[in-house]
């Protein structure tokens, strides 16, 4: 899992690439914390996430809830329909914890 974060017009954009799995979370925890602590809106781009387990989904929700608790607007972009559906099957609804959710059509 690769995670990059950039500042775009005063907002933090986090780009996730690869498998968002429990085995990968320890390697990106510092970057997750750093991104949540910024200012402006937070955009989590998950278009390049290839797989996501329950721990990965919970991590996305925790980041969103923490940022929103700090008064930031949160958006998720590039979410594949299959990942959103997988999350729903385990009771995790991204749309309940973010301000904006952009779901892409699986191709």
């Amino acid at each position: 899992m690769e995670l990059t974060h950039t500042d775009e017009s005063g907002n933090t954009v986090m780009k996730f690439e690869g498998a968002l799995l429990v085995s990968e979370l320890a390697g990106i925890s510092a970057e997750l914390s750093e991104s949540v602590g910024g200012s402006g809106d937070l955009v989590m781009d998950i278009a390049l996430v290839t797989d996501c387990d329950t721990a990965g989904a919970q991590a996305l929700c925790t980041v969103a809830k923490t940022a929103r608790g700090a008064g930031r607007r949160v958006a998720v972009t590039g979410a594949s329909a299959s990942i959103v559906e997988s999350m729903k099957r385990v009771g995790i609804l991204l749309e309940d914890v973010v301000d904006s959710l952009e779901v892409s059509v699986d191709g």
Side-chain angles (χ1 to χ4, degrees):
M1 165 58 52
E2 284 188 48
L3 172 63
T4 58
H5 55 92
T6 58
D7 179 49
E8 295 181 13
S9 302
N11 300 316
T12 303
V13 178
M14 301 169 64
K15 293 185 180 184
F16 295 81
E17 183 175 349
L20 187 55
L21 305 172
V22 66
S23 59
E24 303 290 329
L25 291 175
I28 62 169
S29 63
E31 293 168 290
L32 288 173
S33 296
E34 183 180 329
S35 295
V36 170
S39 60
D41 293 347
L42 175 64
V43 178
M44 293 188 283
D45 180 348
I46 62 171
L48 298 177
V49 171
T50 56
D51 193 12
C52 184
D53 64 10
T54 304
Q58 289 174 333
L60 291 176
C61 290
T62 298
V63 168
K65 287 178 181 178
T66 302
R68 288 181 80 195
R72 300 176 77 186
R73 289 186 42 82
V74 178
V76 172
T77 63
S80 73
S82 60
I83 287 182
V84 171
E85 285 304 313
S86 294
M87 290 179 180
K88 284 181 181 178
R89 282 194 292 277
V90 295
I92 297 173
L93 306 175
L94 279 177
E95 57 267 28
D96 288 349
V97 296
V98 299
D99 297 294
S100 173
L101 175 61
E102 173 195 300
V103 180
S104 62
V105 177
D106 291 345

